[in-house]
């Protein structure tokens, strides 16, 4: 006759084998989820940015990662020369280009900036006249 405690130990051993497989399956599912939700989309974004940077050419209107808008004047292997204002050029890394801006968008941004600048100047002139009077 086999003691009852031996039967219980034998049943636990087979349950442990099943739980090992379940643990492995759960870990595999987590790895797959992380890959498809985090790693793969990041790789796609990186590839798209590399294609964007390699397609930049002279005359393109671009926006940098820092928010500067300008026109590409010269393209080197790793750097570009960008004109951000009349007779104001900067040298920057190609990788800092965030996006290529359509000409229409660039004109709208420039018009908005000019309108804001004019409004600020008008307000400043009114304030200085009030101080004098």
């Amino acid at each position: 006759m086999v003691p009852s405690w031996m039967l219980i130990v034998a049943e636990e051993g087979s349950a442990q084998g099943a739980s090992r497989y379940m643990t492995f399956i759960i870990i595999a599912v987590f790895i797959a989820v992380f890959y498809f939700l985090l790693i793969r989309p990041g790789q796609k974004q990186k590839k798209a940015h590399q294609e964007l940077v390699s397609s930049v050419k002279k005359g393109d209107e671009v926006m940098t990662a820092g928010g500067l808008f300008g026109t590409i004047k010269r393209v080197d292997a790793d750097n570009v020369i960008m004109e951000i204002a009349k007779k104001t050029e900067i040298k920057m890394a190609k990788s800092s280009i965030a996006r290529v801006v359509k000409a229409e968008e660039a004109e709208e941004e420039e018009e908005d900036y000019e309108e804001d600048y004019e409004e600020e100047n008008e307000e400043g002139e009114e304030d200085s006249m009030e101080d004098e009077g």
Side-chain angles (χ1 to χ4, degrees), residues 58-123:
K58 182 179 178 180
D60 284 348
E61 297 282 332
V62 298
M63 183 184 88
T64 66
L68 290 174
F69 288 87
T71 306
I72 301 296
K73 292 298 177 184
R74 191 174 80 212
V75 179
D76 296 332
D78 295 326
N79 302 313
V80 294
I81 304 296
M82 184 172 83
E83 183 179 53
I84 56 174
K86 292 180 183 177
K87 297 184 182 180
T88 306
E89 296 179 349
I90 59 172
K91 181 178 182 177
M92 54 183 266
K94 278 174 117 177
S95 61
S96 65
I97 295 173
R99 66 184 175 110
V100 175
V101 181
K102 295 178 184 171
E104 298 163 358
E105 290 179 24
E107 289 174 7
E108 289 175 8
E109 291 287 334
E110 190 173 323
E111 289 173 4
D112 290 343
Y113 174 76
E114 289 173 356
E115 289 174 6
D116 291 343
Y117 182 75
E118 289 172 3
E119 289 175 6
E120 288 175 5
N121 283 341
E122 289 174 3
E123 291 173 3

Side-chain angles (χ1 to χ4, degrees), residues 38-51:
L38 298 174
I39 297 170
R40 194 163 181 233
Q43 289 173 340
K44 284 185 177 182
Q45 281 183 329
K46 185 177 179 182
K47 184 178 179 183
H49 185 257
Q50 287 174 342
E51 289 174 2

